[in-house]
Amino acid sequence: LAAVLGISGLYHDAAAALVVDGRVLAAIHEERLDRVKHSSALPVRAARACLELGALDAGALDAIVFYEEPFPKFERLLSWLIKTFPRAPSYFARSIRAELARKLWLLDELAETFGVPREKVRAVEHHRSHAASAFFVSPFEEAAVLTVDGVGERTTTAIWHGQGTRLSPRFSLEFPHSLGLFYAALTAYAGFEVLEGELKLMALAAYGSPKYTSELSRVLRLGADGDFSLEPRYFDAFTDSELGFGPELVRLLGAPRAPDTPWNLAGNPDDRRYADVARSAQLLTEEALLALARRAKREVGGDALCLAGGVALNAAANARLAAESGFSRIFVQPAAGDAGGALGAALLGALELGDPRPPALVSPALGQPLDAGRGADLAARCGFAASQQARPYERAAEILARGGLVALASGRGEWGPRALGHRSLLAPAHDARLRDALNRRVKNREIFRPFAPSALHQNSDRLFDHVGADMTPFMTTVCRARDAALPELSGVVHVDGTSRLHSVTPERAPALAQILAEYERRTGYRALLNTSLNGAREPIAGSETDAIAFFASHRAVDALLLDDVLVERRPS
Amino acid sequence: VSGVLGKILRRTKSSLALIRYFLTPDRFFMVPLVVVLLLAGALFAAGTGLSHVAPFVYTLF
């Protein structure tokens, strides 16, 4: 039996994961500790936090596994730079400097940082890490696995056959033909930040019509049997910037949207055009993914599909795959993006050392724990009323029942970018005006972005169609709201009639499950609005200090529940 | 000193591993570029880490 640390980092969404004796003990995003959203650091803080949770010294590790192989990635960079020479001067300078200064020697640096012999540090292939992160914690003994992202070393898309403790490659596509890069370029075109705004583009798509499908079909050409290609001339990404669109795409679609300008979908024809572009990009992406899933079904067979890679966070596409791919069960683990590579790398290292496969992932609470007592002291010092409650969930439900906002920080933080009842901000789901107030006073999101509902698993089927049990616990798909339930879901249904449902069980989110039950008993409503515990452009809260800082800086939030400690504002 | 020497030794080993990685028929044409980049990187590292070497590095370029 072994102790293995998995690491992903130095690009975006850095994270660490610890697997000991075949069990996932911890998985932590660096951003929750260094407070830099989508942190691109080497996740030393997260790794040390994982080791602390596992009560291990780094010296006791049997292996440290990095989620990507440095040399093949360097080779891809060099060959592309030669191919595009001399059109990529700044990309060349930037990427070669980063490789020579650090990335090529990363495995040495990991050995030095953690004080372990260099022989214990190794790297695994990027897409294999993704595939492992999904399949080995899935509930399936055998499944097809589809990994889709921007690019790893060279691979952008891959189909795998997962059986027990093995992953066998079946199909792959290589850079520059990438759904992730396609979606990133359109994200940038619509004025959103790449690696942050992809979900905004997905939300915007619901407001548009697929009027630009024909134009975008020249950019992303769908071939037979899951194959596709990108036309490089539309992408600046391949010459002078890492991710982005080029002048040819502007000629094709019109002027790009200026970042950080207010949206007016009702009155501004240009904004409606961007929504149409978003809808067209989303549609083409879904068609490409569907073709890949159907190929996976043909290549591997079976009823189960696992998805991973950044594109697997596209919940609307996942819902179409669930409905149309032919697979009856689809699993997407909550950290499907690059952070998840740390988990996959750790699992691959552990399996190679002879450990068994871990049990299926039940709870996403793999992050850092809270110290509610310390939080109570800090809250009192900040001038808040902090009291330990015998029935904390009843008090939280009471505040919600009278239309209040409750911040919930409970147990260990979530693994993945979604708030799943451990670092959540809760509000009544039935009132669209409350949703708008929450957005205006706390979240400051673009007005077209929806909020998600949480509902007890036993109520989910009564509120939504086609809920399923594999993706809704981790908010990685969308479900259509039932007509009869619409009055109690006014604040959490998107313009297309769907919601990114979080179905809650006591094993997965014990505090939220109790609050939902008590809220239903008091009001008859079966869902709550659940958004992440963070302000605009901040990472989700990690520690009790982060939660109190959030509460202190957002006066619209009525109370903060830190495990069993209720923090409220004193009457002024 | 042993820490610095150990670090240099590990980087040297990794550099040799990198060159070995490129010593295959389909990657062979990139070896000269890799070697030049590694030498430039070494000079850059020396220039950054040891300020008294910097004037010689500037003269070289």
Side-chain angles (χ1 to χ4, degrees):
Chain A
L1 294 171
V4 180
L5 184 67
I7 298 280
S8 64
L10 295 190
Y11 185 39
H12 63 98
D13 294 312
L18 180 66
V19 175
V20 178
D21 299 346
R23 292 183 60 234
V24 181
L25 287 195
I28 300 178
H29 298 255
E30 184 72 2
E31 65 163 27
R32 312 283 156 90
L33 297 165
D34 70 7
R35 309 307 299 156
V36 178
K37 200 166 190 186
H38 302 295
S39 176
S40 59
L42 188 66
V44 176
R45 287 184 183 89
R48 296 207 190 284
C50 285
L51 291 170
E52 200 178 319
L53 282 165
L56 281 178
D57 288 329
L61 288 169
D62 295 287
I64 296 178
V65 185
F66 191 64
Y67 81 128
E68 186 168 81
E69 294 181 325
F71 293 174
K73 187 168 181 178
F74 183 59
E75 181 198 352
R76 189 251 298 166
L77 273 173
L78 281 188
S79 58
W80 190 256
L81 292 168
I82 291 168
K83 204 168 177 178
T84 57
F85 185 82
R87 289 179 289 129
S90 65
Y91 184 40
F92 179 87
R94 201 171 53 246
S95 55
I96 291 299
R97 194 185 309 128
E99 291 291 323
L100 289 174
R102 193 170 194 190
K103 292 183 178 181
L104 280 172
W105 328 111
L106 184 64
L107 304 188
D108 298 329
E109 184 180 343
L110 284 170
E112 289 152 11
T113 303
F114 293 102
V116 301
R118 174 65 181 81
E119 304 74 54
K120 286 189 175 181
V121 183
R122 52 185 287 260
V124 288
E125 189 203 341
H126 183 106
H127 272 254
R128 186 176 281 276
S129 298
H130 275 317
S133 76
F135 175 63
F136 292 134
V137 296
S138 76
F140 313 128
E141 184 55 27
E142 182 169 9
V145 186
L146 175 58
T147 57
V148 189
D149 70 358
V151 60
E153 294 86 359
R154 277 182 295 263
T155 303
T156 63
T157 307
I159 292 171
W160 308 77
H161 184 186
Q163 289 171 291
T165 57
R166 281 184 300 146
L167 277 168
S168 315
R170 288 298 178 88
F171 169 77
S172 67
L173 290 170
E174 293 199 347
F175 182 85
H177 308 299
S178 161
L179 287 180
L181 295 180
F182 170 73
Y183 214 82
L186 272 298
T187 296
Y189 175 81
F192 305 125
E193 199 177 331
V194 171
L195 303 174
E196 163 71 13
E198 279 80 355
L199 293 188
K200 299 179 186 180
L201 193 74
M202 185 186 83
L204 179 64
Y207 287 84
S209 305
K211 291 178 182 170
Y212 291 88
T213 311
S214 155
E215 285 84 350
L216 286 178
S217 296
R218 283 181 243 161
V219 181
L220 172 66
R221 291 185 298 252
L222 302 182
D225 210 16
D227 207 353
F228 64 84
S229 61
L230 285 195
E231 176 50 56
R233 68 192 168 101
Y234 293 107
F235 296 88
D236 218 18
F238 309 135
T239 54
D240 216 27
S241 70
E242 200 152 1
L243 296 161
F245 55 93
E248 285 287 329
L249 193 76
V250 175
R251 273 191 278 279
L252 185 73
L253 299 175
R257 195 172 193 281
D260 298 322
T261 46
W263 283 83
N264 179 6
L265 285 163
N268 184 341
D270 271 343
D271 279 354
R272 285 201 296 276
R273 178 169 65 83
Y274 298 118
D276 293 339
V277 170
R279 180 76 195 106
S280 309
Q282 176 69 21
L283 188 69
L284 277 172
T285 303
E286 289 175 11
E287 293 298 329
L289 286 170
L290 262 175
L292 285 163
R294 287 174 180 141
R295 177 164 189 155
K297 177 87 177 161
R298 272 195 304 281
E299 297 260 352
V300 177
D303 294 322
L305 175 68
C306 296
L307 289 168
V311 179
L313 289 170
N314 191 314
N318 294 348
R320 269 199 79 187
L321 292 184
E324 300 175 42
S325 67
F327 288 102
S328 58
R329 294 183 69 182
I330 298 182
F331 174 77
V332 186
Q333 64 100 359
D338 269 13
L343 176 61
L347 290 166
L348 287 166
L351 290 170
E352 195 176 287
L353 290 167
D355 271 6
R357 236 181 101 164
L361 184 70
V362 173
S363 170
L366 297 169
Q368 63 189 119
L370 281 177
D371 184 336
R374 191 173 168 277
D377 289 345
L378 181 60
R381 285 209 304 277
C382 292
F384 300 122
S387 57
Q388 199 166 23
Q389 302 277 315
R391 295 185 179 85
Y393 312 120
E394 288 182 16
R395 183 80 182 106
E398 184 191 327
I399 295 166
L400 290 161
R402 58 165 203 258
L405 303 180
V406 174
L408 171 65
S410 167
R412 294 173 63 181
E414 289 92 346
W415 172 235
R418 305 280 89 84
L420 299 171
H422 299 267
R423 301 290 185 272
S424 287
L425 176 60
L426 305 174
H430 66 278
D431 192 338
R433 286 171 309 173
L434 268 176
R435 173 202 61 199
D436 294 340
L438 163 72
N439 196 30
R440 204 170 46 249
R441 299 180 64 188
V442 181
K443 300 296 283 190
N444 293 307
R445 292 167 157 197
E446 292 80 3
I447 199 70
F448 58 81
R449 290 177 65 192
F451 285 94
S454 288
L456 286 170
H457 185 66
Q458 64 263 29
N459 285 333
S460 296
D461 274 323
R462 295 173 201 141
L463 297 168
F464 296 91
D465 283 328
H466 306 299
V467 168
D470 297 313
M471 288 196 280
T472 52
F474 304 120
M475 264 193 199
T476 46
T477 189
V478 297
C479 303
R480 185 160 296 281
R482 291 185 186 274
D483 289 343
L486 283 174
E488 60 178 303
L489 299 171
S490 301
V492 290
V493 175
H494 200 24
V495 68
D496 61 1
T498 66
S499 300
R500 197 170 58 200
L501 170 66
H502 173 216
S503 67
V504 179
T505 59
E507 307 83 66
R508 291 187 156 111
L512 181 55
Q514 294 204 53
I515 291 171
L516 281 163
E518 182 61 23
Y519 181 71
E520 183 184 358
R521 194 183 68 75
R522 284 171 183 267
T523 65
Y525 293 128
R526 294 167 289 185
L528 282 167
L529 182 156
N530 170 13
T531 186
S532 51
L533 191 57
N534 60 313
R537 296 178 188 272
E538 292 171 358
I540 299 179
S543 66
E544 63 281 348
T545 308
D546 302 333
I548 290 167
F550 171 84
F551 183 64
S553 56
H554 296 92
R555 292 195 60 81
V557 180
D558 297 281
L560 163 67
L561 190 59
L562 282 168
D563 286 340
D564 60 351
V565 171
L566 190 75
V567 181
E568 292 178 278
R569 299 178 200 284
R570 293 183 193 281
S572 52
Chain B
V1 175
S2 64
V4 174
L5 283 176
K7 194 170 171 176
I8 291 169
L9 190 65
R10 278 188 290 272
R11 297 297 187 277
T12 308
K13 278 185 178 173
S14 292
S15 301
L16 293 173
L18 178 66
I19 292 166
R20 272 199 306 277
Y21 173 83
F22 280 92
L23 286 177
T24 57
D26 55 332
R27 300 181 189 126
F28 197 75
F29 71 98
M30 282 191 262
V31 170
L33 180 58
V34 171
V35 171
V36 168
L37 286 171
L38 284 175
L39 287 173
L43 282 172
F44 178 75
T48 308
L50 303 166
S51 55
H52 54 275
V53 177
F56 301 103
V57 177
Y58 298 147
T59 311
L60 275 176
F61 286 98

